[in-house]
Amino acid sequence: MTVRTRFAPSPTGYLHIGGVRTALFCWLFARRHGGQFILRIDDTDQQRNVEEALAPILHGLKWLGIDWDEGPEVGGPYAPYYQSQRLDRYRAAVEKLLAGGHAYHDYATPEEIQAERKAAEAEKRIFTYSRRFLAETPADCARFEAEGRKGVVRLKMPREGKLVLDDLVRGRVEFNWANEQDHVVQRADGSCLYHLANVVDDEDFHISHVIRAEEHLSNTPRQVFLIQALGYNLPQYAHLPFVAEPGSKNKLSKRKLDKYLKNKDFAQLVEHGNKILHAIGEEKPPELLNPVMVDFYESVGYLPEAIVNYLTLLGWSWDDKTEQFTREELIEKFSLDRVNKAPASFDPKKLLAFQLRHMQVLPVEQKVPLVLPYLQKAGLLSEQPNKLDFGKVAAVVRAAGDRIKVAGDVLDFPEFFVSDEQLVVDPDARGKAFGKPEAVDLLKKWLEILQTVKPFDDPTLEKRLHEFVAAEGIKIGQIIHPLRVALTGKAVGLGLFDTFAILGRLVSMSRIKRTLRSIESMPL
């Protein structure tokens, strides 16, 4: 059997972390077994579809490297891959269900259905529709319509027995048919509902494995009934545990950002990301400024490999110790029998740890293209950087090391990309660094030494500074702190000797002179 899986997002919102995890598991399973991964757009609900939301969904999957073999922008032998373009197939399926006695026209109003439901609740019994307004013949339909009623098509569900399935994640699952309602499959306007379209598409696209979120488990009985009634092949089902809120077992939701901000790690994730987006002047819809949405991570500079690695471990594990995987290793090792049944809690702190680990093993020459766009968007670098610009960026990235956890963190070091006049000086740092009168004299003496230091590199500068400290009989902090503020305008930053080397002799001396002039003309 050829393995064929599908991910079927609805364009009713942007790409959610939970949805990505489902798509990722479908993709890994297909790749593991040399099969195909199909992308289908479930856009039957035209009232809720958001046209502009589809592009971010496709882009987000591509950014993560979750490529599809068939679907939008790719095509395939079973096109079209949009449900809105397959309505004739669904209507034909409805006619087949009616002809086979597996569905019926029903003319009950919503109020009449609700009245029966309330009566069942009052009598403490399972609600089962009486089928009182079932139309068995065209004459029945005409009679009901003459009363002004509008008909829908309902499934004629079994009232006895059980459905037993072997779920590839949850094991044996059972459903009592008596608990199932006569679900509507076609509305009064002739449009068909998701569950019917879903079953027809899975058959037409030869889907072998339906891998989806656990919330769809309750939909399975009506879909299996449809499959059997239409004479289709039954796929294998695997219902994944949902991605839970930070520190909770409740489902992660894009609508609960205010609640999640009470979690310290989640709040820090948002603050970190928003600082970067503010620095580059990125204006995005509020929905995409939410760390529950994938676009947030691309915007602030996470690595797709880190996201993929972390999300795979939300509900799946290889053993009790291995966490770091390449994409190739995940494909090689992934299997549904290692998927957990319990929800996995989204942990922003752990996600950042994965990001840092993946960033650490990335060579500097691969980090430079990642950080360049942030410097350009922030106006710190030209749109057409030259060789010297690339060299400076590489030097900053190398010196910053683990301080650049995500690509946008390069914006924490604007001092290396602005002119002396543009350098922002922290007044508190300036006050502390030059609070003692000897700081100015020490800076002047060191300035004289800088003119003759050769070569102007880390080891030489470090050696000469230690010699200077010994000769002056001072503690090294007495000169390092004033120097750092003079060069960067900040109390903390990259290593002092890295800073000298990156700025170069001329800029370093210029900034020290500028600081001395400002100190002498403006008493503290």
Side-chain angles (χ1 to χ4, degrees):
M1 178 182 63
T2 300
V3 169
R4 289 175 60 85
T5 65
R6 49 79 169 170
F7 178 58
S10 298
T12 56
Y14 296 91
L15 196 55
H16 184 278
I17 283 289
V20 170
R21 201 279 307 269
T22 297
L24 178 60
F25 280 21
C26 291
W27 183 84
L28 286 170
F29 188 77
R31 294 290 175 263
R32 170 71 178 83
H33 295 280
Q36 291 88 45
F37 172 65
I38 293 89
L39 180 63
R40 184 179 78 221
I41 307 303
D42 283 5
D43 56 350
T44 51
D45 191 346
Q46 292 297 311
Q47 292 185 341
R48 293 183 62 227
N49 289 337
V50 181
E51 185 176 346
E52 62 271 20
L54 181 57
I57 289 173
L58 300 182
H59 175 80
L61 291 173
K62 286 186 279 190
W63 175 68
L64 290 167
I66 302 177
D67 57 330
W68 53 96
D69 302 292
E70 300 172 25
E73 300 182 352
V74 174
Y78 306 108
Y81 292 90
Y82 292 82
Q83 288 189 337
S84 59
Q85 299 172 20
R86 297 174 51 79
L87 302 182
D88 289 346
R89 285 288 299 126
Y90 311 144
R91 288 168 184 151
V94 170
E95 293 303 318
K96 185 174 181 179
L97 290 167
L98 288 167
H102 302 294
Y104 60 92
H105 291 285
D106 180 62
Y107 287 87
T109 65
E111 292 78 15
E112 288 163 341
I113 294 288
Q114 183 62 17
E116 289 195 16
R117 189 184 304 277
K118 286 186 175 180
E121 290 176 358
E123 297 170 15
K124 297 182 178 180
R125 58 177 172 82
I126 296 173
F127 165 64
T128 304
Y129 173 45
S130 66
R131 299 174 181 166
R132 173 182 164 196
F133 296 94
L134 178 154
E136 294 184 314
T137 66
D140 291 336
C141 292
R143 176 169 54 83
F144 284 130
E145 288 168 8
E147 297 174 7
R149 293 176 176 272
K150 294 182 179 180
V152 299
V153 176
R154 292 183 183 275
L155 295 178
K156 200 169 188 178
M157 299 294 289
R159 296 281 170 89
E160 297 178 348
K162 288 184 178 182
L163 169 65
V164 179
L165 282 178
D166 288 321
D167 189 283
L168 296 177
V169 170
R170 310 187 71 82
R172 179 187 173 96
V173 289
E174 297 183 359
F175 305 90
N176 290 316
W177 286 118
N179 295 336
E180 292 298 314
Q181 305 306 314
D182 285 1
H183 305 286
V184 175
V185 290
Q186 188 175 51
R187 302 180 183 92
D189 63 4
S191 62
C192 296
L193 274 73
Y194 159 79
H195 297 289
L196 175 73
N198 193 52
V199 164
V200 172
D201 288 348
D202 284 348
E203 170 70 11
D204 286 357
F205 299 159
H206 301 283
I207 300 303
S208 64
H209 293 76
V210 173
I211 303 170
R212 58 188 182 183
E214 133 182 46
E215 64 199 64
H216 293 287
L217 185 62
S218 61
N219 301 329
T220 307
R222 78 188 79 172
Q223 292 174 355
V224 170
F225 175 80
L226 281 165
I227 290 168
Q228 294 172 341
L230 292 167
Y232 291 169
N233 295 303
L234 187 69
Q236 291 186 272
Y237 288 94
H239 287 90
L240 309 174
F242 57 75
V243 177
E245 300 171 349
S248 167
K249 293 301 181 183
N250 298 320
K251 184 182 176 183
L252 186 69
S253 169
K254 62 186 178 183
R255 298 179 180 87
K256 296 181 180 180
L257 180 59
D258 290 343
K259 174 185 175 182
Y260 303 153
L261 288 175
K262 296 176 183 177
N263 176 285
K264 182 183 71 173
D265 295 331
F266 197 94
Q268 288 177 348
L269 174 66
V270 172
E271 182 182 2
H272 182 202
N274 284 345
K275 182 182 76 169
I276 293 170
L277 294 175
H278 177 75
I280 61 177
E282 195 93 337
E283 293 187 8
K284 290 182 174 289
E287 305 96 302
L288 299 183
L289 298 178
N290 187 339
V292 174
M293 314 308 287
V294 169
D295 188 270
F296 176 89
Y297 299 95
E298 181 184 9
S299 297
V300 303
Y302 275 72
L303 294 170
E305 296 301 321
I307 302 290
V308 166
N309 191 165
Y310 175 70
L311 288 183
T312 304
L313 294 178
L314 281 181
W316 175 88
S317 62
W318 173 246
D319 53 32
D320 58 358
K321 57 184 179 180
T322 311
E323 288 192 332
Q324 196 81 355
F325 296 94
T326 64
R327 189 178 296 258
E328 292 72 24
E329 288 170 338
L330 289 173
I331 291 173
E332 177 189 347
K333 298 180 183 300
F334 185 81
S335 63
L336 291 172
D337 60 351
R338 291 185 179 273
V339 175
N340 301 317
K341 296 179 183 178
S345 180
F346 176 73
D347 185 342
K349 190 173 182 179
K350 193 164 187 178
L351 172 58
L352 186 58
F354 273 85
Q355 165 66 17
L356 180 56
R357 287 205 293 267
H358 279 269
M359 202 71 161
Q360 284 173 330
V361 300
L362 211 60
V364 170
E365 56 268 22
Q366 291 184 32
K367 292 181 182 179
V368 170
L370 298 176
V371 305
L372 276 175
Y374 292 90
L375 294 168
Q376 292 168 326
K377 289 179 182 179
L380 297 173
L381 206 63
S382 164
E383 289 298 319
Q384 295 181 326
N386 57 36
K387 189 175 181 180
L388 288 176
D389 291 329
F390 279 103
K392 180 183 284 188
V393 174
V396 170
V397 168
R398 186 177 293 107
D402 293 350
R403 298 187 190 197
I404 298 183
K405 295 180 174 65
V406 302
D409 285 340
V410 72
L411 300 177
D412 288 341
F413 310 102
E415 59 268 23
F416 296 102
F417 304 98
V418 297
S419 66
D420 293 355
E421 291 71 25
Q422 294 171 317
L423 183 68
V424 177
V425 179
D426 179 352
D428 290 337
R430 182 177 181 271
K432 291 178 181 177
F434 293 96
K436 295 182 179 180
E438 69 268 17
V440 170
D441 291 335
L442 290 172
L443 215 56
K444 288 179 178 178
K445 291 178 181 179
W446 176 250
L447 182 61
E448 294 178 7
I449 293 173
L450 276 187
Q451 298 179 55
T452 61
V453 172
K454 291 183 180 179
F456 199 83
D457 58 19
D458 299 16
T460 307
L461 287 163
E462 185 173 7
K463 179 175 180 293
R464 292 299 300 272
L465 186 67
H466 282 289
E467 291 172 351
F468 175 77
V469 167
E472 293 292 325
I474 61 173
K475 294 180 179 180
I476 197 165
Q478 291 176 260
I479 183 63
I480 280 184
H481 297 314
L483 276 175
R484 188 184 300 283
V485 173
L487 295 174
T488 69
K490 303 186 300 189
V492 295
L494 302 186
L496 181 63
F497 306 110
D498 286 326
T499 299
F500 271 121
I502 294 169
L503 292 174
R505 188 194 307 272
L506 293 179
V507 173
S508 297
M509 292 180 63
S510 172
R511 290 190 177 180
I512 292 173
K513 289 176 182 178
R514 181 171 179 264
T515 300
L516 289 171
R517 287 195 299 270
S518 69
I519 294 293
E520 292 174 339
S521 64
M522 189 182 297
L524 296 172

